[in-house]
Amino acid sequence: MTNEKYPYEIKAVKMEVEGTAHKFPVIVRIGPKGYVFPENFKHSAADIYNMEVRPSDVFVASFPRSGTTWTQDMVWLIASNLDYERALKVPLTERYAFLEFFSSFNDEMKMKLLDANKDDEAKLKEVKLLLKPATEILETTPSPRFIKTHLPLSLMPRKALEAKVVYVARDPRDAIVSLHHLVNSMKFMSMDEDFKAFWKSVLNNFQPWTPYFDHVKEAWEMRHHPNMLFLFYEDMRKDLPSVVRRVSDFLGKKYNEEEIARLCDHLSFDNFKKNPSVNYDLIKEIGLMYADKDFVRKGKSGGWRDYFDEEMIAEADKWIEENLRDTDLRFPSMQ
């Protein structure tokens, strides 16, 4: 389906026909690159694409599990004059609108969530907020608005680059391992397939937000745009102060060395993992995520080697080589 409000074709695909390692019975493929989303996304795609963008908006975008949460907290603090008090008090989920997350839930999931929280007024309110279209929430959000998305640039609001966009990319092998852990921590997405089956489903572009390389390359191609900042997760791990300075410059902020050192300490992995404001505790409380799982996991680079056998390493090498052949994109971990 296409219409005058949306420039891309949306095709529905029944997954029991193609077979894959996730729980969405129907997915949609969007546009010439065939980006994958849960079926419900087709109802919100045009609203997101045509959303009004304010020049003061700040988007943090990525393929899932590329260091998004870490980048979000860094960007918010830099843009908000290092307001640690508010950052620790107000959860990241309230400081950022997650642009497409509400469309991940089908009617059955929505009913289960609402029913599970019906006896707790506070939790029920949070569930209803989670299920409300982000475009509606953003209409009444005061500026500056902070927006998280895993949409590729072409499916983001068409005027997104009239605002600021920070895109973070990560070695796909690490991102896919982390995404597998996340999927299995979510009650409505967890599955029995092992990592190898999940890997194949990403390789074959059946997982939501794939194809991975098209996603990253769209942002990479716009990296010289004055309103786009392209970051690598591995650079953040290796030299966070340098990245903090780049983000500060991009957002028109100036901080001294002492302030940068304090921010890097706040964002250090040990402190970040213990920070309830960024650990999505709310998602556990309302029953979306298993209580014994961690949203922020190990955060290390190169951890994929613990999960890939020789066959998968060969597949990954070929996949990466083929997709980087036509571009000067190079990941720090691959140089």
Side-chain angles (χ1 to χ4, degrees):
M1 60 174 257
T2 54
N3 58 40
E4 67 282 355
K5 287 174 62 186
Y6 198 65
Y8 304 111
E9 184 181 9
I10 300 178
K11 291 182 192 169
V13 181
K14 285 189 176 178
M15 291 321 296
E16 57 258 38
V17 176
E18 291 195 10
T20 190
H22 63 60
K23 283 194 169 180
F24 297 110
V26 179
I27 60 166
V28 290
R29 291 191 182 276
I30 301 183
K33 292 167 184 169
Y35 286 113
V36 175
F37 293 93
E39 186 184 18
N40 264 8
F41 183 74
K42 67 186 179 186
H43 302 302
S44 52
D47 287 341
I48 288 172
Y49 185 77
N50 294 300
M51 185 187 101
E52 186 182 337
V53 171
R54 303 174 193 166
S56 57
D57 289 341
V58 181
F59 291 86
V60 172
S62 69
F63 185 84
R65 307 306 283 174
S66 296
T68 328
T69 307
W70 200 24
T71 307
Q72 281 179 265
D73 205 35
M74 173 179 64
V75 165
W76 188 91
L77 277 159
I78 289 170
S80 304
N81 302 317
L82 305 180
D83 187 349
Y84 294 104
E85 188 181 350
R86 186 153 181 255
L88 292 167
K89 191 165 63 178
V90 181
L92 205 58
T93 46
E94 289 180 33
R95 286 182 272 149
Y96 280 78
F98 190 167
L99 202 48
E100 70 276 15
F101 189 54
F102 70 95
S103 66
S104 301
F105 302 96
N106 61 30
D107 290 342
E108 183 188 352
M109 290 177 200
K110 288 177 186 175
M111 292 309 297
K112 279 183 179 174
L113 268 179
L114 290 165
D115 188 57
N117 293 281
K118 66 181 184 214
D119 297 327
D120 188 317
E121 201 173 315
K123 288 182 184 176
L124 190 62
K125 183 183 172 187
E126 293 293 348
V127 170
K128 287 178 178 175
L129 192 62
L130 199 66
L131 301 177
K132 186 176 179 178
T135 46
E136 288 180 25
I137 294 168
L138 285 163
E139 282 174 9
T140 57
T141 302
S143 296
R145 302 182 302 185
F146 293 86
I147 303 162
K148 166 189 175 176
T149 185
H150 292 313
L151 296 176
L153 202 55
S154 58
L155 305 187
M156 282 172 62
R158 60 194 172 90
K159 294 187 176 179
L161 283 171
E162 291 182 10
K164 296 286 191 186
V165 178
V166 178
Y167 187 96
V168 58
R170 183 183 190 184
D171 185 315
R173 296 161 296 189
D174 280 327
I176 291 163
V177 167
S178 186
L179 184 58
H180 181 249
H181 281 282
L182 178 70
V183 164
N184 280 322
S185 72
M186 294 291 180
K187 291 184 180 179
F188 71 100
M189 290 173 74
S190 61
M191 57 208 175
D192 299 325
E193 284 88 348
D194 61 11
F195 175 69
K196 195 164 193 169
F198 185 81
W199 159 249
K200 299 272 189 195
S201 73
V202 173
L203 213 56
N204 294 316
N205 301 327
F206 289 138
Q207 286 296 332
W209 295 293
T210 58
Y212 171 86
F213 275 104
D214 285 313
H215 197 300
V216 176
K217 284 193 279 192
E218 278 193 25
W220 179 253
E221 284 159 15
M222 295 302 292
R223 70 192 182 282
H224 298 307
H225 190 287
N227 285 337
M228 164 70 83
L229 180 63
F230 191 103
L231 302 176
F232 284 109
Y233 176 81
E234 290 78 12
D235 288 340
M236 292 169 66
R237 290 285 296 169
K238 187 178 175 184
D239 187 357
L240 187 56
S242 172
V243 174
V244 165
R245 289 185 199 99
R246 285 184 64 200
V247 175
S248 300
D249 288 345
F250 179 66
L251 297 175
K253 298 288 184 178
K254 188 131 186 81
Y255 296 110
N256 62 38
E257 290 305 304
E258 192 180 327
E259 289 168 323
I260 290 170
R262 185 185 171 192
L263 177 57
C264 291
D265 181 62
H266 171 86
L267 293 168
S268 71
F269 191 75
D270 287 346
N271 287 334
F272 200 72
K273 194 170 172 63
K274 292 183 290 193
N275 182 352
S277 175
V278 300
N279 269 296
Y280 286 69
D281 289 350
L282 171 68
I283 286 180
K284 292 181 183 179
E285 288 168 16
I286 63 174
L288 255 184
M289 188 175 183
Y290 293 110
D292 61 343
K293 302 288 186 181
D294 291 324
F295 187 84
V296 177
R297 257 182 9 96
K298 294 181 179 177
K300 68 177 182 176
S301 297
W304 62 269
R305 291 183 178 84
D306 299 335
Y307 295 83
F308 281 59
D309 60 24
E310 284 184 19
E311 179 194 358
M312 294 157 77
I313 290 170
E315 285 174 339
D317 288 347
K318 184 184 175 193
W319 178 59
I320 290 165
E321 184 191 351
E322 285 174 354
N323 280 285
L324 294 184
R325 193 174 290 153
D326 62 345
T327 176
D328 57 357
L329 169 66
R330 294 295 179 267
F331 290 81
S333 55
M334 300 177 194
Q335 291 177 359

